[in-house]
Amino acid sequence: MVKSTFILCLALAAPTAGADESEWKTINHWKTWFEFRVPASFKQDPQIFKGEGHKWVIILNHPDGKFSVSGSPYGYISQIDGESRGFKSARDLFLADEIGVGAQVEREDGYEIYVQHTKSYTQAFFIPANPDWGMSYRWLFFEYPEGQREKYEELIRKITKSYKPSVPEPINAEQDAVE
């Protein structure tokens, strides 16, 4: 009896356990933003794009109310920032200021991904593989209750893997020429 009740509970729970990951939606707020995907059940936070703190950040909340993902395409390191501190490249300054010891590094076509974890959040930074001075970088920030990273780790991995950099449309000089 206990075994059949347990199996029945599993059968009832199975469709709902993966429900928030069955359908995914693409997030690409503006044309120049990078693209990433989240489960369709995630809701846009009402605070996004309001005030200086959230002006250039999209925030999406998990239905459980305990997990969120934020993203922004507007991280920037200027030549002045680095040269005044003795750095030879924007990448070197970025690594010194933003990336902690033990960060995971992956290389994709044209960019590097640096992922680092704390007890209550995970950061994923996406930087060009060969940046010059004036480097822009993108980031995703995952927030969860302290000590619960493992619960959301697969979701974090899938969202991070869905990242695609924006590609500006090519400008056709012939079309833009004044006749």
Side-chain angles (χ1 to χ4, degrees):
M1 175 69 172
V2 171
K3 186 177 181 180
S4 61
T5 303
F6 178 71
I7 291 171
L8 178 61
C9 288
L10 282 177
L12 292 173
T16 58
D20 78 331
E21 291 191 39
S22 62
E23 290 186 44
W24 286 62
K25 61 185 172 186
T26 300
I27 306 300
N28 186 351
H29 194 269
W30 288 304
K31 188 176 180 179
T32 59
W33 274 58
F34 58 90
E35 182 179 294
F36 66 101
R37 298 178 55 75
V38 298
S41 60
F42 276 54
K43 300 295 181 211
Q44 191 167 296
D45 193 293
Q47 294 303 309
I48 68 168
F49 309 118
K50 293 181 182 174
E52 243 356 87
H54 295 104
K55 193 175 195 176
W56 306 110
V57 177
I58 190 160
I59 304 168
L60 301 154
N61 297 316
H62 189 279
D64 72 6
K66 297 177 182 175
F67 177 84
S68 67
V69 58
S70 306
S72 178
Y74 297 112
Y76 184 76
I77 299 172
S78 75
Q79 183 172 355
I80 294 168
D81 294 333
E83 287 180 346
S84 66
R85 294 178 48 204
F87 287 93
K88 293 181 182 178
S89 74
R91 183 178 181 277
D92 292 344
L93 175 60
F94 175 82
L95 294 176
D97 283 356
E98 299 291 341
I99 304 302
V101 174
Q104 301 161 332
V105 183
E106 290 184 38
R107 287 174 173 70
E108 294 290 331
D109 189 26
Y111 59 95
E112 297 171 311
I113 306 168
Y114 291 85
V115 178
Q116 53 194 18
H117 309 282
T118 72
K119 292 179 182 177
S120 60
Y121 65 85
T122 296
Q123 293 176 306
F125 293 99
F126 304 86
I127 66 168
N130 297 306
D132 199 354
W133 276 114
M135 181 185 89
S136 292
Y137 61 92
R138 284 83 176 118
W139 54 263
L140 291 173
F141 183 84
F142 304 91
E143 193 169 15
Y144 40 82
E146 188 169 316
Q148 292 191 18
R149 182 179 92 205
E150 191 173 286
K151 177 179 178 180
Y152 300 103
E153 202 156 26
E154 183 64 18
L155 188 55
I156 291 168
R157 188 190 66 71
K158 286 181 179 181
I159 293 170
T160 302
K161 284 286 188 190
S162 74
Y163 169 88
K164 290 184 181 144
S166 64
V167 179
E169 287 186 21
I171 297 171
N172 185 338
E174 292 174 13
Q175 289 177 343
D176 293 340
V178 178
E179 295 181 23

mmCIF file of all heavy atoms in Angstrom, residues 46-78:
data_model
loop_
_atom_site.group_PDB
_atom_site.id
_atom_site.type_symbol
_atom_site.label_atom_id
_atom_site.label_comp_id
_atom_site.label_asym_id
_atom_site.label_seq_id
_atom_site.Cartn_x
_atom_site.Cartn_y
_atom_site.Cartn_z
ATOM 1 N N PRO A 46 8.705 43.707 -11.869
ATOM 2 C CA PRO A 46 8.151 45.040 -12.118
ATOM 3 C C PRO A 46 9.148 46.180 -11.900
ATOM 4 O O PRO A 46 8.909 47.303 -12.344
ATOM 5 C CB PRO A 46 6.989 45.148 -11.130
ATOM 6 C CG PRO A 46 7.194 44.080 -10.129
ATOM 7 C CD PRO A 46 8.053 43.027 -10.760
ATOM 8 N N GLN A 47 10.267 45.930 -11.239
ATOM 9 C CA GLN A 47 11.252 46.980 -10.962
ATOM 10 C C GLN A 47 12.219 47.232 -12.114
ATOM 11 O O GLN A 47 12.969 48.208 -12.070
ATOM 12 C CB GLN A 47 12.055 46.633 -9.708
ATOM 13 C CG GLN A 47 11.232 46.632 -8.447
ATOM 14 C CD GLN A 47 10.536 47.970 -8.222
ATOM 15 O OE1 GLN A 47 11.172 49.019 -8.269
ATOM 16 N NE2 GLN A 47 9.236 47.938 -8.023
ATOM 17 N N ILE A 48 12.211 46.374 -13.137
ATOM 18 C CA ILE A 48 13.217 46.552 -14.182
ATOM 19 C C ILE A 48 13.002 47.850 -14.935
ATOM 20 O O ILE A 48 11.885 48.329 -15.085
ATOM 21 C CB ILE A 48 13.274 45.369 -15.161
ATOM 22 C CG1 ILE A 48 12.013 45.272 -16.004
ATOM 23 C CG2 ILE A 48 13.522 44.072 -14.449
ATOM 24 C CD1 ILE A 48 12.164 44.323 -17.160
ATOM 25 N N PHE A 49 14.116 48.402 -15.367
ATOM 26 C CA PHE A 49 14.178 49.625 -16.152
ATOM 27 C C PHE A 49 13.642 50.837 -15.396
ATOM 28 O O PHE A 49 13.317 51.840 -15.987
ATOM 29 C CB PHE A 49 13.473 49.464 -17.502
ATOM 30 C CG PHE A 49 13.946 48.251 -18.252
ATOM 31 C CD1 PHE A 49 13.069 47.228 -18.552
ATOM 32 C CD2 PHE A 49 15.275 48.110 -18.623
ATOM 33 C CE1 PHE A 49 13.514 46.098 -19.228
ATOM 34 C CE2 PHE A 49 15.720 46.990 -19.294
ATOM 35 C CZ PHE A 49 14.835 45.976 -19.593
ATOM 36 N N LYS A 50 13.554 50.737 -14.065
ATOM 37 C CA LYS A 50 13.096 51.866 -13.248
ATOM 38 C C LYS A 50 14.250 52.319 -12.365
ATOM 39 O O LYS A 50 14.831 51.519 -11.645
ATOM 40 C CB LYS A 50 11.913 51.467 -12.377
ATOM 41 C CG LYS A 50 10.669 51.160 -13.166
ATOM 42 C CD LYS A 50 9.528 50.798 -12.255
ATOM 43 C CE LYS A 50 8.295 50.452 -13.062
ATOM 44 N NZ LYS A 50 7.217 49.962 -12.222
ATOM 45 N N GLY A 51 14.555 53.591 -12.396
ATOM 46 C CA GLY A 51 15.606 54.133 -11.545
ATOM 47 C C GLY A 51 16.988 53.747 -12.019
ATOM 48 O O GLY A 51 17.167 52.886 -12.864
ATOM 49 N N GLU A 52 17.982 54.384 -11.463
ATOM 50 C CA GLU A 52 19.365 54.164 -11.869
ATOM 51 C C GLU A 52 19.825 52.736 -11.623
ATOM 52 O O GLU A 52 20.543 52.170 -12.421
ATOM 53 C CB GLU A 52 20.276 55.122 -11.113
ATOM 54 C CG GLU A 52 21.075 56.148 -11.877
ATOM 55 C CD GLU A 52 21.029 56.160 -13.382
ATOM 56 O OE1 GLU A 52 20.158 56.783 -13.963
ATOM 57 O OE2 GLU A 52 21.932 55.553 -13.993
ATOM 58 N N GLY A 53 19.423 52.127 -10.515
ATOM 59 C CA GLY A 53 19.883 50.783 -10.176
ATOM 60 C C GLY A 53 19.422 49.694 -11.122
ATOM 61 O O GLY A 53 20.082 48.676 -11.280
ATOM 62 N N HIS A 54 18.285 49.886 -11.761
ATOM 63 C CA HIS A 54 17.732 48.862 -12.651
ATOM 64 C C HIS A 54 17.564 49.344 -14.089
ATOM 65 O O HIS A 54 16.950 48.669 -14.909
ATOM 66 C CB HIS A 54 16.363 48.398 -12.128
ATOM 67 C CG HIS A 54 16.434 47.713 -10.811
ATOM 68 N ND1 HIS A 54 16.052 48.327 -9.648
ATOM 69 C CD2 HIS A 54 16.866 46.486 -10.468
ATOM 70 C CE1 HIS A 54 16.239 47.491 -8.638
ATOM 71 N NE2 HIS A 54 16.735 46.378 -9.110
ATOM 72 N N LYS A 55 18.101 50.498 -14.394
ATOM 73 C CA LYS A 55 17.866 51.139 -15.681
ATOM 74 C C LYS A 55 18.252 50.272 -16.882
ATOM 75 O O LYS A 55 17.553 50.254 -17.883
ATOM 76 C CB LYS A 55 18.634 52.455 -15.729
ATOM 77 C CG LYS A 55 18.253 53.354 -16.855
ATOM 78 C CD LYS A 55 18.999 54.674 -16.704
ATOM 79 C CE LYS A 55 18.418 55.749 -17.554
ATOM 80 N NZ LYS A 55 19.094 57.026 -17.327
ATOM 81 N N TRP A 56 19.351 49.575 -16.793
ATOM 82 C CA TRP A 56 19.844 48.794 -17.926
ATOM 83 C C TRP A 56 19.894 47.301 -17.618
ATOM 84 O O TRP A 56 20.719 46.573 -18.145
ATOM 85 C CB TRP A 56 21.228 49.285 -18.333
ATOM 86 C CG TRP A 56 21.263 50.745 -18.594
ATOM 87 C CD1 TRP A 56 21.885 51.695 -17.832
ATOM 88 C CD2 TRP A 56 20.632 51.453 -19.650
ATOM 89 N NE1 TRP A 56 21.687 52.934 -18.361
ATOM 90 C CE2 TRP A 56 20.914 52.821 -19.487
ATOM 91 C CE3 TRP A 56 19.842 51.069 -20.733
ATOM 92 C CZ2 TRP A 56 20.444 53.794 -20.360
ATOM 93 C CZ3 TRP A 56 19.378 52.044 -21.596
ATOM 94 C CH2 TRP A 56 19.683 53.379 -21.404
ATOM 95 N N VAL A 57 19.013 46.859 -16.743
ATOM 96 C CA VAL A 57 19.047 45.469 -16.292
ATOM 97 C C VAL A 57 17.672 44.839 -16.453
ATOM 98 O O VAL A 57 16.663 45.438 -16.080
ATOM 99 C CB VAL A 57 19.456 45.398 -14.795
ATOM 100 C CG1 VAL A 57 19.438 43.978 -14.291
ATOM 101 C CG2 VAL A 57 20.819 46.025 -14.589
ATOM 102 N N ILE A 58 17.639 43.653 -17.019
ATOM 103 C CA ILE A 58 16.395 42.897 -17.060
ATOM 104 C C ILE A 58 16.444 41.884 -15.919
ATOM 105 O O ILE A 58 17.492 41.290 -15.652
ATOM 106 C CB ILE A 58 16.170 42.224 -18.425
ATOM 107 C CG1 ILE A 58 14.757 41.659 -18.486
ATOM 108 C CG2 ILE A 58 17.211 41.164 -18.714
ATOM 109 C CD1 ILE A 58 14.260 41.405 -19.883
ATOM 110 N N ILE A 59 15.335 41.731 -15.210
ATOM 111 C CA ILE A 59 15.260 40.797 -14.082
ATOM 112 C C ILE A 59 14.055 39.893 -14.306
ATOM 113 O O ILE A 59 12.952 40.378 -14.563
ATOM 114 C CB ILE A 59 15.090 41.535 -12.740
ATOM 115 C CG1 ILE A 59 16.219 42.549 -12.529
ATOM 116 C CG2 ILE A 59 15.036 40.528 -11.581
ATOM 117 C CD1 ILE A 59 15.968 43.517 -11.384
ATOM 118 N N LEU A 60 14.289 38.591 -14.211
ATOM 119 C CA LEU A 60 13.224 37.612 -14.383
ATOM 120 C C LEU A 60 13.168 36.731 -13.148
ATOM 121 O O LEU A 60 14.206 36.237 -12.690
ATOM 122 C CB LEU A 60 13.485 36.781 -15.636
ATOM 123 C CG LEU A 60 13.560 37.639 -16.899
ATOM 124 C CD1 LEU A 60 14.406 36.977 -17.948
ATOM 125 C CD2 LEU A 60 12.163 37.918 -17.416
ATOM 126 N N ASN A 61 11.970 36.525 -12.626
ATOM 127 C CA ASN A 61 11.791 35.781 -11.385
ATOM 128 C C ASN A 61 11.191 34.406 -11.633
ATOM 129 O O ASN A 61 10.233 34.260 -12.405
ATOM 130 C CB ASN A 61 10.885 36.567 -10.431
ATOM 131 C CG ASN A 61 11.495 37.884 -10.032
ATOM 132 O OD1 ASN A 61 12.675 37.967 -9.728
ATOM 133 N ND2 ASN A 61 10.702 38.942 -10.061
ATOM 134 N N HIS A 62 11.750 33.432 -10.943
ATOM 135 C CA HIS A 62 11.253 32.061 -10.958
ATOM 136 C C HIS A 62 9.898 32.037 -10.253
ATOM 137 O O HIS A 62 9.665 32.821 -9.333
ATOM 138 C CB HIS A 62 12.273 31.184 -10.205
ATOM 139 C CG HIS A 62 12.022 29.725 -10.311
ATOM 140 N ND1 HIS A 62 11.101 29.083 -9.544
ATOM 141 C CD2 HIS A 62 12.599 28.773 -11.091
ATOM 142 C CE1 HIS A 62 11.111 27.793 -9.826
ATOM 143 N NE2 HIS A 62 12.012 27.586 -10.769
ATOM 144 N N PRO A 63 8.993 31.143 -10.639
ATOM 145 C CA PRO A 63 7.685 31.090 -9.982
ATOM 146 C C PRO A 63 7.751 30.801 -8.481
ATOM 147 O O PRO A 63 6.831 31.170 -7.747
ATOM 148 C CB PRO A 63 6.938 29.968 -10.700
ATOM 149 C CG PRO A 63 7.756 29.596 -11.873
ATOM 150 C CD PRO A 63 9.104 30.213 -11.748
ATOM 151 N N ASP A 64 8.828 30.181 -8.007
ATOM 152 C CA ASP A 64 8.916 29.889 -6.569
ATOM 153 C C ASP A 64 9.226 31.143 -5.747
ATOM 154 O O ASP A 64 9.185 31.107 -4.522
ATOM 155 C CB ASP A 64 9.907 28.768 -6.270
ATOM 156 C CG ASP A 64 11.381 29.142 -6.443
ATOM 157 O OD1 ASP A 64 11.710 30.334 -6.700
ATOM 158 O OD2 ASP A 64 12.226 28.234 -6.328
ATOM 159 N N GLY A 65 9.560 32.258 -6.421
ATOM 160 C CA GLY A 65 9.841 33.508 -5.727
ATOM 161 C C GLY A 65 11.177 33.547 -5.008
ATOM 162 O O GLY A 65 11.503 34.527 -4.346
ATOM 163 N N LYS A 66 11.984 32.497 -5.144
ATOM 164 C CA LYS A 66 13.265 32.424 -4.431
ATOM 165 C C LYS A 66 14.468 32.500 -5.355
ATOM 166 O O LYS A 66 15.592 32.595 -4.898
ATOM 167 C CB LYS A 66 13.326 31.125 -3.631
ATOM 168 C CG LYS A 66 12.269 31.041 -2.558
ATOM 169 C CD LYS A 66 12.327 29.715 -1.842
ATOM 170 C CE LYS A 66 11.223 29.642 -0.794
ATOM 171 N NZ LYS A 66 11.177 28.345 -0.159
ATOM 172 N N PHE A 67 14.244 32.438 -6.646
ATOM 173 C CA PHE A 67 15.335 32.408 -7.619
ATOM 174 C C PHE A 67 15.055 33.467 -8.672
ATOM 175 O O PHE A 67 13.915 33.636 -9.110
ATOM 176 C CB PHE A 67 15.399 31.018 -8.276
ATOM 177 C CG PHE A 67 16.433 30.897 -9.354
ATOM 178 C CD1 PHE A 67 17.752 30.617 -9.038
ATOM 179 C CD2 PHE A 67 16.087 31.039 -10.687
ATOM 180 C CE1 PHE A 67 18.712 30.490 -10.039
ATOM 181 C CE2 PHE A 67 17.035 30.911 -11.694
ATOM 182 C CZ PHE A 67 18.341 30.630 -11.361
ATOM 183 N N SER A 68 16.086 34.187 -9.065
ATOM 184 C CA SER A 68 15.932 35.161 -10.146
ATOM 185 C C SER A 68 17.186 35.181 -11.005
ATOM 186 O O SER A 68 18.265 34.784 -10.566
ATOM 187 C CB SER A 68 15.646 36.556 -9.593
ATOM 188 O OG SER A 68 16.763 37.052 -8.903
ATOM 189 N N VAL A 69 17.012 35.647 -12.222
ATOM 190 C CA VAL A 69 18.134 35.863 -13.121
ATOM 191 C C VAL A 69 18.042 37.298 -13.618
ATOM 192 O O VAL A 69 16.971 37.771 -13.980
ATOM 193 C CB VAL A 69 18.162 34.856 -14.299
ATOM 194 C CG1 VAL A 69 16.888 34.901 -15.118
ATOM 195 C CG2 VAL A 69 19.370 35.098 -15.200
ATOM 196 N N SER A 70 19.173 37.988 -13.576
ATOM 197 C CA SER A 70 19.281 39.355 -14.077
ATOM 198 C C SER A 70 20.305 39.348 -15.202
ATOM 199 O O SER A 70 21.231 38.549 -15.200
ATOM 200 C CB SER A 70 19.785 40.302 -12.985
ATOM 201 O OG SER A 70 19.005 40.211 -11.838
ATOM 202 N N GLY A 71 20.148 40.268 -16.127
ATOM 203 C CA GLY A 71 21.111 40.361 -17.207
ATOM 204 C C GLY A 71 21.286 41.786 -17.669
ATOM 205 O O GLY A 71 20.352 42.590 -17.591
ATOM 206 N N SER A 72 22.505 42.092 -18.127
ATOM 207 C CA SER A 72 22.777 43.416 -18.663
ATOM 208 C C SER A 72 23.873 43.338 -19.717
ATOM 209 O O SER A 72 24.866 42.642 -19.525
ATOM 210 C CB SER A 72 23.206 44.385 -17.568
ATOM 211 O OG SER A 72 23.508 45.645 -18.128
ATOM 212 N N PRO A 73 23.712 44.085 -20.801
ATOM 213 C CA PRO A 73 24.756 44.131 -21.821
ATOM 214 C C PRO A 73 25.692 45.314 -21.644
ATOM 215 O O PRO A 73 26.512 45.587 -22.507
ATOM 216 C CB PRO A 73 23.940 44.316 -23.113
ATOM 217 C CG PRO A 73 22.802 45.163 -22.669
ATOM 218 C CD PRO A 73 22.479 44.714 -21.259
ATOM 219 N N TYR A 74 25.599 46.027 -20.515
ATOM 220 C CA TYR A 74 26.288 47.302 -20.405
ATOM 221 C C TYR A 74 27.388 47.352 -19.359
ATOM 222 O O TYR A 74 27.511 48.305 -18.624
ATOM 223 C CB TYR A 74 25.272 48.425 -20.177
ATOM 224 C CG TYR A 74 24.342 48.565 -21.346
ATOM 225 C CD1 TYR A 74 23.003 48.249 -21.229
ATOM 226 C CD2 TYR A 74 24.817 48.976 -22.586
ATOM 227 C CE1 TYR A 74 22.143 48.356 -22.315
ATOM 228 C CE2 TYR A 74 23.971 49.085 -23.673
ATOM 229 C CZ TYR A 74 22.631 48.769 -23.535
ATOM 230 O OH TYR A 74 21.801 48.866 -24.604
ATOM 231 N N GLY A 75 28.220 46.327 -19.288
ATOM 232 C CA GLY A 75 29.438 46.432 -18.506
ATOM 233 C C GLY A 75 30.508 47.026 -19.407
ATOM 234 O O GLY A 75 30.592 46.676 -20.585
ATOM 235 N N TYR A 76 31.316 47.920 -18.880
ATOM 236 C CA TYR A 76 32.297 48.587 -19.736
ATOM 237 C C TYR A 76 33.555 48.921 -18.951
ATOM 238 O O TYR A 76 33.492 49.353 -17.811
ATOM 239 C CB TYR A 76 31.706 49.879 -20.321
ATOM 240 C CG TYR A 76 32.630 50.568 -21.279
ATOM 241 C CD1 TYR A 76 32.797 50.084 -22.566
ATOM 242 C CD2 TYR A 76 33.347 51.691 -20.901
ATOM 243 C CE1 TYR A 76 33.659 50.712 -23.454
ATOM 244 C CE2 TYR A 76 34.201 52.329 -21.781
ATOM 245 C CZ TYR A 76 34.357 51.826 -23.061
ATOM 246 O OH TYR A 76 35.205 52.439 -23.929
ATOM 247 N N ILE A 77 34.695 48.723 -19.587
ATOM 248 C CA ILE A 77 35.984 49.093 -19.006
ATOM 249 C C ILE A 77 36.673 50.020 -19.995
ATOM 250 O O ILE A 77 36.889 49.658 -21.148
ATOM 251 C CB ILE A 77 36.857 47.847 -18.747
ATOM 252 C CG1 ILE A 77 36.161 46.924 -17.753
ATOM 253 C CG2 ILE A 77 38.233 48.254 -18.241
ATOM 254 C CD1 ILE A 77 36.834 45.602 -17.568
ATOM 255 N N SER A 78 37.020 51.204 -19.534
ATOM 256 C CA SER A 78 37.632 52.178 -20.442
ATOM 257 C C SER A 78 39.153 52.099 -20.381
ATOM 258 O O SER A 78 39.739 51.570 -19.438
ATOM 259 C CB SER A 78 37.179 53.596 -20.088
ATOM 260 O OG SER A 78 37.845 54.042 -18.927
#
